[in-house]
Amino acid sequence: MSRTRILWQTLGFLLLFLSLFVIPAGIALSGARYPDLSVLPIFWVLGIGFVGAIVLLEMKPQTVSIELSETGFTVKKWGSRATHYPYSAITSYNERRQFDRASAFDELTLYMPTNWFMLRSNVFRDYPYLKAQLTQDARPVPYRRVITQTERMQFRWFLSGMALLIITSIVFGFVAHNPSGKNPAPLGPFTALLDEVRAVEAKSNFKGVSFRLNRWSDHWFYASRQDFDQDIRFLLRYIRPNRPVTLLLRESDIQKKLLETEPLTVGDKYFDYKRIEVFGIRQGNDINLSTTQPVYEPTRTRPYRWLLFYGMLLVLCGTCWVWTEQQQLLIQAS
């Protein structure tokens, strides 16, 4: 197998492993009352879809093993059972010169009335001998794409599953959306004992300040530098842990996430439930800071962007379905 195909298959299965195991496990073990599902649908669609495309388009046609005997041969394709055929079952063949980044190789496609398989010179060392043995009763023909009934059904099931996953992701994006409204959100003070204050950075760039409150360890309170007109890094030097602090929060966050007097929406639960944005900080007589910018309710998702993104993937699924249906079908003899 060529290095390029090995690399793509390795990357594909790594993405699949991340999508199905690592990321869901990280979300489940995060300790949040409600897991953050904001990126999971994207990883599922891209991860499963990417690997599925590799399996069906690259790995499925590959011949895993072939064994010759005096009366015939036994061939096993990826994901299929080994099947024995007489040499006379091969009616035609095509040989093409193929290229990848590493080298050039020959690709031999052999056609039978009810099946087909492929041999590549960079996979089988005895490629010249296999070609001579398998094509002795066959005629050369122009290359054509073919598909068996089983392979077409596998394509259909995969594409149907992907379409269902995409549609579910679109619906989730709309259900989790919270309309923000045109009026600024009401803000209210929330006082508690401060456990910890620290800087939030990304690639050494200062993004804001986070707070941990004594009785609310399930949440982290975040003040973004973009919400304030002045540099808020001074809070790291002057604010004192183990003392009461008053944070200016959205009333909706106070009522829904802290006091739990109002019900949470789907977006409140599954899109960054642990994070609560801070728009003002006050501690004693030394620190009294608040934003001068209007604050609106969080929308959680942007459903029309979701619709555009996943809609393109849905169109791609439909295109693959049409491509599958256009392949020449090898019908199993009854």
Side-chain angles (χ1 to χ4, degrees):
M1 189 179 300
S2 67
R3 293 181 179 180
T4 302
R5 285 188 169 83
I6 293 176
L7 176 61
W8 278 108
Q9 292 176 13
T10 302
L11 290 176
F13 280 109
L14 178 61
L15 183 57
L16 181 67
F17 181 74
L18 289 173
S19 303
L20 295 182
F21 300 103
V22 176
I23 295 176
I27 292 173
L29 299 176
S30 64
R33 183 185 303 182
Y34 301 103
D36 187 355
L37 305 182
S38 57
V39 298
L40 192 57
I42 297 176
F43 272 94
W44 274 358
V45 170
L46 294 183
I48 298 173
F50 186 73
V51 174
I54 289 178
V55 169
L56 295 177
L57 297 178
E58 287 292 330
M59 298 182 66
K60 186 62 178 174
Q62 293 182 17
T63 299
V64 177
S65 65
I66 185 167
E67 182 179 348
L68 306 185
S69 65
E70 295 183 0
T71 59
F73 63 95
T74 301
V75 63
K76 183 181 185 330
K77 293 168 63 176
W78 196 93
S80 303
R81 295 181 179 180
T83 307
H84 183 79
Y85 298 96
Y87 290 111
S88 59
I90 300 176
T91 58
S92 58
Y93 71 93
N94 172 269
E95 186 177 38
R96 299 188 299 166
R97 192 69 169 171
Q98 298 285 67
F99 301 89
D100 59 21
R101 293 183 179 180
S103 62
F105 58 93
D106 293 321
E107 182 180 88
L108 181 66
T109 306
L110 301 114
Y111 302 100
M112 296 177 283
T114 61
N115 204 350
W116 70 286
F117 63 98
M118 180 189 300
L119 300 177
R120 289 171 174 160
S121 60
N122 62 343
V123 176
F124 294 92
R125 298 184 203 174
D126 299 328
Y127 176 83
Y129 173 75
L130 291 173
K131 175 186 173 183
Q133 292 294 111
L134 296 171
T135 61
Q136 56 186 339
D137 297 325
R139 69 184 190 281
V141 296
Y143 175 78
R144 68 183 191 276
R145 293 183 180 274
V146 295
I147 193 171
T148 66
Q149 286 179 317
T150 301
E151 290 168 346
R152 176 174 286 184
M153 189 60 63
Q154 290 173 342
F155 268 95
R156 286 173 174 174
W157 276 108
F158 170 74
L159 292 174
S160 298
M162 282 302 303
L164 180 60
L165 185 59
I166 291 171
I167 293 173
T168 302
S169 300
I170 293 174
V171 172
F172 180 65
F174 276 89
V175 172
H177 177 68
N178 297 331
S180 62
K182 297 181 179 180
N183 298 322
L187 303 178
F190 187 80
T191 303
L193 186 66
L194 178 65
D195 278 347
E196 180 186 14
V197 57
R198 62 179 178 177
V200 178
E201 296 180 342
K203 297 181 179 179
S204 301
N205 293 324
F206 177 73
K207 296 296 183 180
V209 177
S210 69
F211 307 88
R212 291 282 183 181
L213 303 184
N214 182 263
R215 293 182 53 199
W216 313 97
S217 58
D218 289 342
H219 302 84
W220 70 285
F221 300 80
Y222 173 64
S224 172
R225 65 180 179 86
Q226 296 180 349
D227 292 326
F228 298 89
D229 296 332
Q230 63 186 97
D231 191 344
I232 63 174
R233 273 180 281 201
F234 78 92
L235 294 172
L236 301 171
R237 298 192 304 270
Y238 293 107
I239 200 167
R240 294 291 180 260
N242 302 316
R243 292 176 56 186
V245 64
T246 299
L247 304 179
L248 193 63
L249 314 174
R250 292 188 183 95
E251 280 287 353
S252 59
D253 284 334
I254 296 175
Q255 300 302 323
K256 292 178 180 179
K257 295 185 176 183
L258 301 176
L259 302 181
E260 300 182 356
T261 57
E262 295 182 7
L264 294 166
T265 66
V266 173
D268 294 329
K269 291 180 180 179
Y270 300 113
F271 276 73
D272 219 354
Y273 167 79
K274 295 175 64 175
R275 174 172 136 168
I276 297 179
E277 293 179 291
V278 176
F279 302 99
I281 305 100
R282 186 170 67 248
Q283 188 180 61
N285 298 322
D286 299 327
I287 298 175
N288 190 358
L289 177 68
S290 62
T291 182
T292 59
Q293 304 174 19
V295 178
Y296 298 92
E297 295 291 348
T299 57
R300 305 302 180 192
T301 67
R302 297 178 177 178
Y304 292 103
R305 290 190 181 183
W306 281 54
L307 180 62
L308 178 62
F309 173 74
Y310 287 111
M312 294 172 61
L313 296 180
L314 201 58
V315 171
L316 181 60
C317 280
T319 303
C320 293
W321 184 285
V322 172
W323 178 86
T324 302
E325 297 300 313
Q326 290 177 342
Q327 306 308 304
Q328 181 179 344
L329 181 63
L330 299 178
I331 302 176
Q332 182 69 37
S334 58

